[in-house]
Amino acid sequence: MAWRFALMIDPVAAQSPQADFTDTFTAVDPAAPALTVGELSTQRGDGIFESIGVVDGHAQEVTAHLDRLAHSAALCELPEPNLTQWRAAVLVAAAACGPGESVIKLILSRGVEHGPAPTAWVTAAEASDFSRARTEGVAVVTLDRGYPLDVPARAPWLLLGAKTLSYAVNMAALREARRRGADDAIFTTTDGFVLEAPTASLILRRGDTFVTPAPNAGILHGTTQLSLFEHLAARGFDVGYETVSASSLPQADAAWLVSSVRLAAPITAIDGASLAGDAALTASMNAYLLSPRD
């Protein structure tokens, strides 16, 4: 990954009337040390983040990402972020991205143990090349996430609806998928329902209806999925949220993993069973996702 920019943020109160945040930003060398050894984001993964796709210097779906950052902060009992300040930081980072595809990351940490809190920063880097996944697709396996469908309501302290920095399980799931000969994974509950992928949302097509698992089981509500549903609805398709059984996955007419940087990757197989694709529709989805979206 080629780093392009890094910016430390001195967070201001959410309700601050401040209009110019320039003096709250400090540009730093993205290749140089910037965090202290007591930083809780690195010691405990105690923080939240967002990844924003950037196309030719335009940051995509900024409002949706900032809203989700605020939602994650509330779930994690972090200070409420000043979204005007964060939006200003995103614009500064986007200006440093240049042509092509990039990714901006927003990170808000609980701070330093027994020290200043919170810690906040923004990075910008060149995005990986996902052209093959977008055109040739990905094979997936289903992996048990280890809890039943109703656990988020019973155990909100698990923070299952927050986008936290604690991604060790997500990365382990991707390694397990590759050990099984697949490219990615779809998490399922112990009682047989579909959740999401480790770093993406799932969209299924049944005829002219597109569905995604209902975000009531600790599923992270995907910004790209929301945007695609608006696009598909505008084209006359039906879209909706369902509690999807894992056993019904192979019966889908088509399926995609969608995320802010990889965009729409068609699923070619689930647990070794081939799944039909729709190359033309996938291409139109990605053309839309690569267009400027606010």
Side-chain angles (χ1 to χ4, degrees):
M1 177 180 288
W3 295 102
R4 290 176 167 164
F5 186 75
L7 189 75
M8 301 302 296
I9 299 175
D10 182 11
V12 301
Q15 305 307 319
S16 170
Q18 189 169 343
D20 182 5
F21 296 97
T22 305
D23 62 352
T24 69
F25 301 151
T26 303
V28 296
D29 181 350
L35 301 176
T36 71
V37 294
E39 172 59 44
L40 293 175
S41 62
T42 55
Q43 288 197 359
R44 298 176 183 170
D46 194 358
I48 58 175
F49 77 103
E50 284 290 322
S51 296
I52 300 176
V54 183
V55 180
D56 294 331
H58 183 276
Q60 306 279 58
E61 301 286 350
V62 175
T63 297
H65 282 287
L66 292 178
D67 288 345
R68 195 167 65 180
L69 184 78
H71 177 68
S72 295
L75 290 176
C76 295
E77 299 180 66
L78 288 164
E80 182 182 356
N82 184 306
L83 299 188
T84 304
Q85 182 187 33
W86 282 90
R87 183 182 296 276
V90 169
L91 293 177
V92 172
C97 287
E101 294 183 51
S102 306
V103 56
I104 289 174
K105 288 195 175 182
L106 318 180
I107 303 100
L108 177 62
S109 155
R110 202 168 300 278
V112 178
E113 189 166 20
H114 311 304
T119 307
W121 68 99
V122 172
T123 65
E126 180 182 355
S128 299
D129 182 3
F130 289 112
S131 55
R132 184 173 179 178
R134 295 170 189 170
T135 56
E136 298 182 17
V138 293
V140 304
V141 292
T142 54
L143 296 179
D144 190 338
R145 189 65 175 84
Y147 57 77
L149 190 68
D150 67 343
V151 77
R154 293 188 290 105
W157 50 87
L158 295 178
L159 305 178
L160 296 174
K163 193 171 180 68
T164 71
L165 293 169
S166 305
Y167 255 47
V169 169
N170 303 62
M171 298 300 99
L174 290 175
R175 292 193 296 272
E176 178 63 22
R178 288 161 190 153
R179 273 193 288 270
R180 299 187 187 194
D183 304 298
D184 213 317
I186 294 174
F187 285 131
T188 62
T189 65
T190 54
D191 44 356
F193 296 98
V194 178
L195 294 169
E196 59 193 341
T199 63
S201 303
L202 172 67
I203 294 179
L204 305 172
R205 180 177 185 176
R206 301 177 188 143
D208 287 336
T209 299
F210 293 79
V211 301
T212 193
N216 57 1
I219 294 174
L220 188 71
H221 211 159
T223 58
T224 307
Q225 171 264 311
L226 285 166
S227 185
L228 262 181
F229 268 23
E230 290 180 5
H231 172 66
L232 292 167
R235 292 184 55 181
F237 293 107
D238 292 326
V239 298
Y241 298 85
E242 292 185 6
T243 299
V244 179
S245 66
S247 61
S248 71
L249 282 177
Q251 281 75 57
D253 294 321
W256 296 263
L257 295 183
V258 301
S259 56
S260 297
V261 182
R262 184 169 55 180
L263 306 184
I267 295 175
T268 59
I270 300 175
D271 292 329
S274 296
L275 193 67
D278 189 329
L281 180 58
T282 298
S284 70
M285 285 179 170
N286 282 317
Y288 164 72
L289 292 173
L290 286 166
S291 67
R293 293 173 293 118
D294 295 322

